[in-house]
Each structure stands twice: as structure tokens, then as C-alpha cells.
Amino acid sequence: VKRISIIFASVALALVAAAWVALRFDAIDLALYHRLALAAATAPNPALADKNELSLLICGSGSPLPDRARAAACSVVAAGKDLYVVDAGGGSVRNLLDWHTPLADVRGIFITHFHSDHIEELGELRLQTWVAGRKAPLKVYGPPGIEDVVAGFNQAYAHDAVYRTAHHGAAMLPPDVVPMVAVVVPMDASGKTIALQANGLTVSAIKVKHDPVTPSYGYRFDFHGRSITLSGDTAPSDNLAKWAKGSDVLVHEGLAPDLVAMIGEGLSRADRPRFAKIMRDIPGYHTSPVEAARIANRAGVKLLLFSHIIPPLPNSMVERAFLHGVSDVRPDGVMLGRDGTLVRLPAGSDQIEVTTIE
Ligand SMILES: [Zn+2]
Ligand SMILES: [Zn+2]
């Protein structure tokens, strides 16, 4: 009888303990969330680059083909404290917010061309740089036509801005600062135009080949003896190889034609002829990884960094397939860019430091 009552008491105690834990679940959940919230709210990244240092952060390494691991086209170039964003593809602004990028320091945006995957988050950049404390209207540089694109985004986001000023107050969100201002960069007959000179930084627009999208630009950033060139979207471009000469880093787009052909074949078999046709059409105005390697060699750059990668590369096997043949042309100085790839080019050295922000 004694043993039975001990068992009974133990079971009863266990039931009471389980009931107590169940009742406390809310409190435990909240306590865990409290710790998470404190940990997540870390201070903004103070700077992507030191004084006089040039750096590059890939905020979108993908393309219009849906890829959960890669946002669409976006790079940030930091020249000391000043940040410049090149293209504003879908998902890229969420990346920047996730990484606590100091968006109040964005001094300008450079748009390579007006395909949707390069402009779709211009409105978000307008909003998030303003919320972060940007002090002046945001300049958006691009080929002729940029004025239409910027006017459209300003109009589309006008109501949103009014609500936010009404809600948070004009001291925090002054309405005179929010608009974006288009800066048209006309192309010189030489195939290169200086788009901006500020605080020791020179940004040049380079004409590239993305017909029927004309004009289409790449951009070159020069700062304290270091240099980064970004291809934008382009078929193999002699003009890009010419004007990228001497850059430390060439960020180049890449489309693997054999992989894209396989996707097209699958779409044809699945009776999706419209998408199959797109797969047949796109290789003509992009550059294969092997061709990009040849361009990088001709330009004499130290690092070729692939971004705007087509198609999506879900694992390391497909990454190898994407780079197939590249090492024959260019054995060293090639990397696949990812969302979060950070390349630092310290001033007064020829070092290239590559890390990844998670
Ligand atoms: Zn394009
Ligand atoms: Zn594109």
C-alpha cells in the first residue's frame, strides 16, 4: 500500500509540474523573445570602409529568376563614410536593413539601366534612407530616361511619405528631404563619362552592350588609388574591358548558357512555351562566365567577382557547373559573389580582403 501511494504521489506531482510548466509557457516564450529582441537590436554597422578606404558590399547577387538565396541586382560602394548604391533589385533593401547598414550615409544611387530587376526597390531606398536620417534629397544617377523612372517612384511613394510624417512628426521625417532627384548622365562619344566627383571619389559611367536596352551603363569607382568597376547587364563588351583597365575588382554579370538551355528544355517539355522562349532569348544580351573571365584578363583586374548570376545556383555542384571552363581562361582571381560578400580595398596597399556578412 505504501509503494502504491508513493507511485500515486509521484504521478500527481508530475502532473502538477506539467500543468505549472504549461501555464508558464507564455512567460517562457516572452522571456526568450525578450532576449532575442535585445540581441537583434545591435548598433548599426559604424562603417563599411575606413577613412580613405574603398569597399564593396553585394546586396543582391541574383537576377529576375526567382532565387530565395539571392536578391536581385544591388551593390553598395563605400568611399570612406559615403555610401553609393548601384541598382536597387528586389529583396536588396531588406538585406541592407538586416545587416544594419547605415543607410543615412547613402549619398547617391547609380542605376545601370531600367530593366525592372535593377529599379524595383528605388521606392524602398527612398523610404528607408529617409527613415534612417538622410539629410538631403537623394540623387539618382542614370542614363537618359532616369528622370521618368525617378518621377514615377516619387509619385508612387508620395502618399506613404505623407502618412509617415503625420505619424512620426516632421522633426523626424521632414517632407522636404524625402524626394529623389534624377541626375541624367549623358554618354560621351569616348564610351565613358565622369558622372560624379566628390570627396576624392570619381564615378565614371561606361557604355555597355545590352541592346535593345540603350543606353546601358556600367560604373567605375576610383578612390585614393583603388578602383572597382561594375559591369551592369551586358553582352561581352570591348568598351568595358577598355575602361575597366587597372581596376582592382571587376564585378561582372554572368549567364551560363548551357544551364539556361537546360531550363528552357524543361519548360518546353512542360508545355510552357512563353518561358521557354525567354530562356532562348536572354543569353544574347548577357555574358557567359568564360567570356567574363576573358574580359577580366583584358582589363587586367586582380579580382573578378560574379554578381547578377543566372540561373540560380542552389548548391556547390551547380556553382561548379556555372564556373565550368573559367579556370582554363583565368586560373586565379575569380569568385562567385553572394548576398553579403564584402570586399575591402585598404588605401595605400594592393590588398583585397573578402569576407561575408551573414
Ligand atoms: Zn537588364
Ligand atoms: Zn538584370
Side-chain angles (χ1 to χ4, degrees):
V1 172
K2 195 177 175 193
R3 185 172 294 165
I4 289 172
S5 57
I6 287 173
I7 291 171
F8 182 78
S10 309
V11 170
L13 195 65
L15 283 173
V16 169
W20 182 83
V21 168
L23 284 172
R24 295 286 300 164
F25 260 155
D26 277 0
I28 292 167
D29 289 347
L30 282 174
L32 286 174
Y33 187 78
H34 186 214
R35 299 194 99 183
L36 276 176
L38 295 181
T42 51
N45 197 331
L48 293 171
D50 287 337
K51 192 167 178 280
N52 296 341
E53 182 181 357
L54 189 64
S55 79
L56 166 90
L57 172 63
I58 302 286
C59 32
S61 55
S63 76
L65 300 184
D67 184 348
R68 291 196 188 281
R70 296 175 186 275
C74 177
S75 308
V76 171
V77 177
K81 195 175 173 296
D82 295 340
L83 304 187
Y84 294 91
V85 181
V86 181
D87 287 333
S92 60
V93 177
R94 294 218 160 92
N95 271 342
L96 293 171
L97 291 171
D98 233 12
W99 302 330
H100 303 283
T101 313
L103 292 177
D105 297 335
V106 173
R107 300 282 171 260
I109 302 174
F110 290 87
I111 296 294
T112 57
H113 65 295
F114 312 135
H115 264 151
S116 54
D117 57 313
H118 297 254
I119 61 169
E120 57 199 328
E121 289 203 343
L122 265 179
E124 277 305 295
L125 268 181
R126 178 188 124 120
L127 169 66
Q128 297 297 346
T129 53
W130 185 48
V131 167
R134 172 167 56 78
K135 296 281 187 292
L138 186 56
K139 289 187 175 164
V140 185
Y141 301 79
I146 189 68
E147 62 279 25
D148 303 330
V149 173
V150 166
F153 274 101
N154 275 333
Q155 191 183 349
Y157 275 69
H159 289 291
D160 176 89
V162 170
Y163 308 144
R164 293 190 195 272
T165 299
H167 189 65
H168 300 290
M172 176 171 164
L173 296 177
D176 53 321
V177 176
V178 67
M180 297 187 289
V181 178
V183 182
V184 178
V185 180
M187 186 42 70
D188 197 82
S190 70
K192 188 207 79 162
T193 306
I194 290 181
L196 169 73
Q197 285 183 303
N199 302 332
L201 172 72
T202 301
V203 186
S204 310
I206 300 168
K207 189 178 171 208
V208 294
K209 230 161 74 181
H210 196 44
D211 297 11
V213 187
T214 52
S216 260
Y217 294 172
Y219 290 103
R220 173 175 176 144
F221 290 73
D222 286 277
F223 189 60
H224 291 278
R226 308 301 306 262
S227 169
I228 298 167
T229 298
L230 302 104
S231 70
D233 283 12
T234 184
S237 163
D238 294 336
N239 194 54
L240 180 71
K242 176 180 170 187
W243 290 112
K245 225 158 239 152
S247 269
D248 295 279
V249 182
L250 174 62
V251 181
H252 205 294
E253 65 126 277
L255 178 150
D258 43 355
L259 304 185
V260 168
M262 290 175 204
I263 294 173
E265 188 193 331
L267 290 165
S268 288
R269 288 189 192 186
D271 199 19
R272 299 174 69 191
R274 299 180 69 86
F275 290 100
K277 173 169 164 45
I278 291 173
M279 294 305 132
R280 286 195 303 278
D281 290 347
I282 54 176
Y285 66 6
H286 290 291
T287 302
S288 76
V290 171
E291 288 166 327
R294 291 200 181 100
I295 302 276
N297 290 351
R298 284 169 57 196
V301 299
K302 297 189 192 93
L303 176 65
L304 165 63
L305 181 67
F306 283 106
S307 193
H308 197 287
I309 290 164
I310 311 173
L313 307 176
N315 56 49
S316 57
M317 192 184 72
V318 191
E319 289 180 4
R320 280 203 305 277
F322 178 86
L323 291 172
H324 180 72
V326 168
S327 61
D328 298 340
V329 174
R330 186 177 168 89
D332 297 307
V334 177
M335 277 193 69
L336 270 179
R338 300 177 193 286
D339 291 17
T341 299
L342 174 64
V343 181
R344 299 183 70 145
L345 306 174
S349 89
D350 58 1
Q351 263 183 298
I352 298 179
E353 300 166 7
V354 184
T355 52
T356 308
I357 297 181
E358 299 292 347

